Amino acid sequence: MTTLSDVALKKLLNEPSSVTMRPPYEGGNINTAIGFKCVNYLLEAAVLDHFRAVGLGASELYLVHGVNFDVAGLETRLHTVLTLDDDVLLEVTPKTKDTDTAMVFAVTATVERDGAPKKAVSSKLRVLLRRDSNVDSSEPLPAELGRFLVDRLATAEPTALAATPSDDFAGALHRGENSDTDPVLAEIIGDDNAVGWKWRVPYYYCHFTERMQMSGYLRQMEEAKHVFVASRGISIKRMLNERGWIPVVTQCKIHFTDETIMEEDLYTVYTVESVFKDMLYTSRVDFYVVRDGALVQTATGSITHGYCHKESPEAEWQMTVFDDEVLRALRGE
């Protein structure tokens, strides 16, 4: 059996680590603000670095031990905006309890503002080590990590489905426009204040040759907001051009309930559940596949959105109060 030193195991499972990184340039979509998706990329990268520091990087886990590193759940709060060229101090603190079957890490992101450190993000990530049958020979991991090894990230109970999936994929490219005509989406959405679409999962949303990874779900969560507001006549571009409003996320969470396989048809559904204080609204985002004629939910999460604006380029970002048009659009009135 492979032996990690007691010191290395203690560091991995009990001791905090830190790393300084900069946000991915990909995330600078509006002004210099970094979107929530790429913020979560940073958090995942920090936890990967925590593993790498003790000799268990993702390549080592896969090639030597036949194990996939998977973030299978996260819950993130965003306290202040990260921007391009920020030096972000990411502190990773193990929070795994003796009874946990997944590793839990608290991650805090801190940036400098006005000469002083400011907490920008706080999060908890759940990590699983999934055995990979594609690796022919592998060395066992230390026994202490055995309770975190799984053959499957999650398994959901299928639910009965009355609708028959359509084989017509022509409408799948029109995000949010085929909810009424796709029979499965129509059944899932019903009378909810929601929008959805069917799409085929490409390889670049996946990892380890087979499965959709956390970043793929985050990309869909981001796209779902874009599709929803566009379908209600308050598109991101229109709000930017007419009002200078930029979308902002204050919190998001998501966890896997099953696995989504590369090139499966995935149904993404975004449902607005609540609007509060006329400044924030929370939406649920659900993901489904159809297997053997039954509906299987593969992930679920939620995201809280608002808008920010600046009185001048030099001013601080301020939360925006929704007007009647936006409120009606969000509520589906």
Side-chain angles (χ1 to χ4, degrees):
M1 178 171 291
T2 299
T3 301
L4 280 184
S5 71
D6 291 341
V7 172
L9 279 170
K10 183 180 178 182
K11 285 182 177 179
L12 179 68
L13 297 175
N14 299 290
E15 295 184 1
S17 66
S18 63
V19 62
T20 298
M21 299 181 181
R22 286 182 173 169
Y25 191 51
E26 175 195 344
N29 306 126
I30 300 172
N31 202 290
T32 61
I34 299 297
F36 85 97
K37 175 189 68 181
C38 285
V39 170
N40 281 303
Y41 287 3
L42 270 182
L43 305 177
E44 181 182 62
V47 176
L48 275 165
D49 189 79
H50 182 81
F51 275 72
R52 195 176 294 119
V54 300
L56 286 179
S59 295
E60 178 84 6
L61 285 168
Y62 179 72
L63 296 173
V64 176
H65 301 291
V67 168
N68 304 162
F69 172 98
D70 272 281
V71 174
L74 58 81
E75 186 167 349
T76 302
R77 290 183 177 271
L78 298 98
H79 307 288
T80 194
V81 176
L82 292 181
T83 63
L84 293 174
D85 300 322
D86 270 337
D87 289 316
V88 185
L89 174 64
L90 295 143
E91 297 173 285
V92 179
T93 304
K95 293 289 185 179
T96 310
K97 299 175 183 177
D98 291 341
T99 55
D100 286 341
T101 54
M103 284 179 272
V104 180
F105 298 94
V107 185
T108 301
T110 304
V111 293
E112 184 177 302
R113 294 289 184 265
D114 299 321
K118 184 178 180 68
K119 182 167 70 172
V121 185
S122 56
S123 183
K124 280 191 176 180
L125 285 77
R126 291 180 63 254
V127 173
L128 289 170
L129 303 176
R130 186 191 186 281
R131 295 182 183 91
D132 194 316
S133 59
N134 293 314
V135 180
D136 293 332
S137 60
S138 59
E139 298 179 13
L141 283 167
E144 292 88 341
L145 300 180
R147 63 186 166 119
F148 311 120
L149 279 168
V150 296
D151 293 316
R152 191 175 180 86
L153 297 176
T155 302
E157 188 69 27
T159 59
L161 182 66
T164 300
S166 171
D167 291 330
D168 178 13
F169 227 81
L173 297 177
H174 302 290
R175 305 295 211 211
E177 295 179 5
N178 61 335
S179 301
D180 295 333
T181 57
D182 185 286
V184 173
L185 281 171
E187 182 171 336
I188 294 171
I189 292 173
D191 295 327
D192 290 344
N193 182 19
V195 67
W197 65 91
K198 177 175 73 173
W199 63 294
R200 189 153 292 160
V201 179
Y203 80 91
Y204 46 87
Y205 275 69
C206 302
H207 64 183
F208 300 115
T209 317
E210 184 179 30
R211 290 168 290 108
M212 187 160 158
Q213 59 178 301
M214 176 58 75
S215 65
Y217 288 104
L218 292 170
R219 290 163 75 176
Q220 280 290 285
M221 187 177 277
E222 180 181 56
E223 184 171 359
K225 152 66 181 245
H226 171 84
V227 169
F228 179 81
V229 293
S231 73
R232 298 299 172 88
I234 53 168
S235 74
I236 302 293
K237 179 68 169 171
R238 182 188 162 203
M239 294 295 102
L240 285 168
N241 287 352
E242 296 182 5
R243 311 184 191 189
W245 292 8
I246 73 165
V248 63
V249 171
T250 60
Q251 58 183 322
C252 63
K253 59 183 178 181
I254 186 170
H255 69 274
F256 296 174
T257 53
D258 207 288
E259 297 182 347
T260 300
I261 306 305
M262 185 188 300
E263 296 187 1
E264 276 196 300
D265 294 343
L266 187 69
Y267 298 84
T268 299
V269 178
Y270 178 96
T271 307
V272 174
E273 293 193 309
S274 64
V275 181
F276 49 100
K277 294 185 178 179
D278 291 351
M279 296 177 70
L280 294 168
Y281 66 100
T282 296
S283 303
R284 191 180 74 250
V285 189
D286 298 302
F287 304 89
Y288 304 90
V289 296
V290 176
R291 292 178 184 147
D292 299 322
L295 194 66
V296 178
Q297 185 178 55
T298 59
T300 185
S302 65
I303 186 165
T304 300
H305 272 104
Y307 290 97
C308 279
H309 72 282
K310 281 187 175 188
E311 297 296 337
S312 67
E314 298 79 20
E316 293 293 322
W317 293 104
Q318 298 181 39
M319 291 297 294
T320 299
V321 177
F322 303 150
D323 60 19
D324 287 342
E325 180 190 14
V326 170
L327 285 170
R328 288 195 302 271
L330 294 179
R331 292 170 177 155
E333 297 173 352

